Amino acid sequence: MNPNRASHSRITFGDASHLVLGGTYIAYRAAGSGPLTVLVPALQENSLVFAFQLRNSEKLGRVVAFDHVGSGESDRPSIQYRPVDYVRYGVRFLDKLVQEPARICAHRDASGLAVALALLRPEKVTTLVLVNPELLGRSPAGGIASSFRTVEQARLASNNTRIGQYLSGLRISLDARLRFWRIARAARGRNEALRYSSLRNYLALPGTKTIGIRMRTHVANWSEWTSRLSDVSVPVRVVVGQRVRSKCAFSLRIIKNEVHRSEIVEIEGTGWYPMIEAPERFEASVWGTIPNEGSFRPGAKG
C-alpha cells in the first residue's frame, strides 16, 4: 500500500472519484449537467465544504469540486507543497477533466491558485469568483503589515530547526481545530450529514502538521501569481461574508485597484463559510449573472 495515499475507509458520504495526475491520485466530486463551475476549496480544506452546492447541482449546472494534493482524499506525496506544486496539479486537473470554458470559484487562500489558472489556461476560464479572498504574498509597503512580514519571514526561517518545526506544527494543529469549529458552527442545524461529528471526519487532514509546515513556509512565493492580477482578462466577482469583510479589506482593495473589471457581493450575516452558513444566498451570489461573462476583454479599470 502506498503510505502517502489517503485512506478512504471512513468515507461514507459523497465518495469521491479520482484522476491520476503524474502518478498522484487527485480526488474530486462532480454532480449535475450544463454550464461548468469548478469549486476550489481553501488550501488546507477539501471539496466537502461545497457539499450543499454539490447537492443542489440540478439548479446550478455541472459542479466539480476537487481536493488539493495533500488534503482530503487526494494523495499526500513527499513534495515541498510550494505554490508551483498546487498550480501544477490544478492545471493538470483542468487539462484532463475540463473540456469547455468554466467558471472558477475559489475560497480564501486558494485565490492565488485561481489567478494562476486564469493566466495559464485562459481558454478554459470564463470568470473568477473569489470567496473571502486571501491574497498570500501581498502586503502594503511600510507600516505594520510590512513589519509583520519581516517577523513572519524570521519565523519561517526558524522552521528549519527542530523546535521551530514543533512550534509551527502546534500552531497549525490549533488552526485546524479552529477551522473545524467554524465549519461546524456554520453547519449546525442545517443537515445531519454536516454536523460536527461528520465534519471532523471528512475535513480532518492526516499529516496536517507536516503538510501545513511545508505549505506555510512558501507563503511569500504566491506573490508570483497574486502580483499579476492586472493581467487577468476575465471578469472577477468577489463574494465576501459581511462579518469578515474587514479582515479581507486589504485583498479587496488590491482587487479593486488592479483588476480590469470586478464587483463585490456581500452576503449579510455570514462569515468565513457563506457556502455553508447561507447556501441559497451564496449560490445566488456566485451563479448570478455577471456582465460580459465569457466575452470580456481587458479595458479600463473600474
Side-chain angles (χ1 to χ4, degrees):
M1 179 178 177
N2 183 351
N4 295 318
R5 185 144 296 161
S7 171
H8 300 181
S9 60
R10 66 184 178 186
I11 300 297
T12 58
F13 163 71
D15 287 346
S17 302
H18 291 81
L19 289 177
V20 180
L21 304 177
T24 300
Y25 278 70
I26 298 297
Y28 71 94
R29 292 172 170 84
S33 60
L36 177 62
T37 300
V38 177
L39 301 171
V40 186
L43 297 180
Q44 293 188 67
E45 294 172 0
N46 69 42
S47 55
L48 283 171
V49 298
F50 295 109
F52 286 117
Q53 288 67 54
L54 289 161
R55 290 179 173 181
N56 197 33
S57 59
E58 69 277 1
K59 297 181 180 179
L60 305 178
R62 180 162 173 77
V63 180
V64 175
F66 67 90
D67 295 349
H68 297 286
V69 59
S71 69
E73 294 185 63
S74 293
D75 280 353
R76 294 162 171 78
S78 297
I79 58 177
Q80 290 297 308
Y81 293 90
R82 300 166 298 173
V84 67
D85 295 316
Y86 288 97
V87 172
R88 181 173 70 252
Y89 283 104
V91 168
R92 287 177 175 175
F93 184 85
L94 288 188
D95 288 345
K96 195 160 187 178
L97 193 67
V98 176
Q99 305 303 321
E100 71 273 21
R103 185 178 306 196
I104 307 293
C105 174
H107 186 218
R108 297 192 62 175
D109 56 7
S111 299
L113 174 57
V115 171
L117 295 179
L119 293 173
L120 293 173
R121 293 294 185 271
E123 72 281 3
K124 295 201 173 190
V125 180
T126 62
T127 305
L128 291 186
V129 180
L130 308 180
V131 183
N132 291 328
E134 296 176 290
L135 298 176
L136 300 182
R138 299 294 296 270
S139 65
I144 295 176
S146 180
S147 299
F148 173 78
R149 181 169 58 176
T150 301
V151 172
E152 180 74 357
Q153 288 170 342
R155 183 190 65 76
L156 295 178
S158 73
N159 288 341
N160 295 325
T161 67
R162 180 167 297 183
I163 185 64
Q165 291 181 357
Y166 171 79
L167 293 175
S168 289
L170 179 62
R171 179 179 63 84
I172 290 165
S173 178
L174 293 174
D175 285 348
R177 289 176 180 270
L178 177 60
R179 184 173 68 254
F180 301 149
W181 176 79
R182 284 173 173 167
I183 299 174
R185 184 181 65 176
R188 189 174 298 126
R190 286 195 168 273
N191 191 297
E192 189 65 28
L194 285 173
R195 292 182 67 85
Y196 178 73
S197 59
S198 298
L199 285 164
R200 187 179 181 88
N201 289 334
Y202 297 142
L203 300 176
L205 305 180
T208 293
K209 291 184 180 181
T210 301
I211 293 169
I213 290 171
R214 289 173 176 171
M215 186 187 78
R216 301 305 294 187
T217 57
H218 300 291
V219 165
N221 292 339
W222 280 105
S223 63
E224 177 182 351
W225 302 106
T226 58
S227 64
R228 295 177 59 191
L229 269 169
S230 60
D231 295 333
V232 171
S233 61
V234 298
V236 176
R237 172 174 287 178
V238 178
V239 176
V240 61
Q242 175 259 326
R243 295 202 311 270
V244 297
R245 178 165 183 153
S246 61
K247 297 180 181 179
C248 299
F250 175 59
S251 294
L252 298 181
R253 187 163 65 250
I254 291 176
I255 293 169
K256 181 179 179 181
N257 291 338
E258 298 186 11
V259 175
H260 294 290
R261 183 171 299 174
S262 64
E263 60 177 336
I264 298 175
V265 179
E266 184 176 292
I267 304 181
E268 185 177 357
T270 65
W272 289 116
Y273 296 92
M275 68 285 285
I276 298 175
E277 296 168 294
E280 298 86 2
R281 285 181 287 154
F282 172 77
E283 290 158 12
S285 299
V286 173
W287 279 267
T289 302
I290 297 178
N292 299 322
E293 183 174 14
S295 61
F296 171 72
R297 292 293 178 270
K301 296 182 182 180

